[in-house]
Amino acid sequence: GTIFKVYQPVHEPTAQPEGEITQFELVQTGVERIFFIDDEEMLAEMGKSMLERLGYMVTVETNSIEALKIIQTQPDHFDLVITDQTMPGMTGSDLARRILQIRPGLPIILCTGFSNRISEEKARIYGIKGFAMKPLAKKDLAVLIRKVLDGEK
């Protein structure tokens, strides 16, 4: 014969004020063509999937030398390059410099987990427009991509 009484505060459900932006709406999307380069196949596929969910058309390469060959044969095919810094064969910063020799002004974002060989300041000197630390959060990457593509500082 135990009786439980639960008292909860009474409150009106809060309606979202008109014009307020939801978390979902804050994720910036686009339709541009992105070349995503990372030597770790799993990270490359995860990056591709994330970028495609944001609306972008994505080409993936896991070999920096092959990526450079693709740029050499199709220099105007991409609107943005996102490359990892630490890769066998050629680092991301070296790849970026070579890409910019082929197509000056092509926006490039360099990603790194940790590197004492490259910093955001040094990347900018090379002509790299964006710098991202791994792990890449979808929202942060989406904002950075839009900044780089839209030419914002």
Side-chain angles (χ1 to χ4, degrees):
T2 304
I3 297 175
F4 291 95
K5 292 184 181 182
V6 178
Y7 296 94
Q8 295 181 335
V10 176
H11 68 87
E12 300 271 331
T14 56
Q16 187 173 353
E18 269 188 53
E20 186 174 309
I21 299 171
T22 64
Q23 185 68 20
F24 178 75
E25 293 170 330
L26 290 175
V27 177
Q28 299 180 5
T29 61
V31 296
E32 290 86 352
R33 298 165 300 175
I34 296 178
F35 194 15
F36 191 86
I37 307 155
D38 195 308
D39 63 307
E40 293 185 48
E41 196 160 325
M42 184 179 77
L43 294 179
E45 288 306 315
M46 285 173 43
K48 178 179 182 182
S49 176
M50 178 175 33
L51 293 169
E52 285 176 340
R53 285 193 305 270
L54 291 171
Y56 298 103
M57 292 176 284
V58 184
T59 301
V60 170
E61 181 55 61
T62 57
N63 181 304
S64 56
I65 306 295
E66 291 302 315
L68 183 60
K69 288 178 185 176
I70 290 170
I71 293 289
Q72 287 170 332
T73 60
Q74 304 173 46
D76 296 320
H77 185 71
F78 302 103
D79 299 306
L80 172 71
V81 173
I82 300 175
T83 182
D84 185 26
Q85 168 61 15
T86 308
M87 296 184 290
M90 187 184 323
T91 66
S93 54
D94 289 338
L95 176 61
R97 283 197 305 248
R98 307 243 337 239
I99 288 172
L100 291 170
Q101 289 172 348
I102 297 165
R103 185 169 159 210
L106 177 63
I108 298 174
I109 294 174
L110 183 69
C111 303
T112 185
F114 170 78
S115 177
N116 55 4
R117 300 181 71 196
I118 190 79
S119 65
E120 187 168 1
E121 294 77 29
K122 195 182 281 188
R124 292 211 187 280
I125 291 168
Y126 294 153
I128 296 167
K129 303 281 190 238
F131 189 82
M133 294 298 291
K134 288 182 175 182
L136 302 173
K138 182 179 179 179
K139 182 180 171 225
D140 297 337
L141 185 59
V143 169
L144 179 58
I145 288 170
R146 287 298 353 140
K147 278 185 178 180
V148 169
L149 285 172
D150 298 339
E152 298 175 19
K153 297 285 180 198

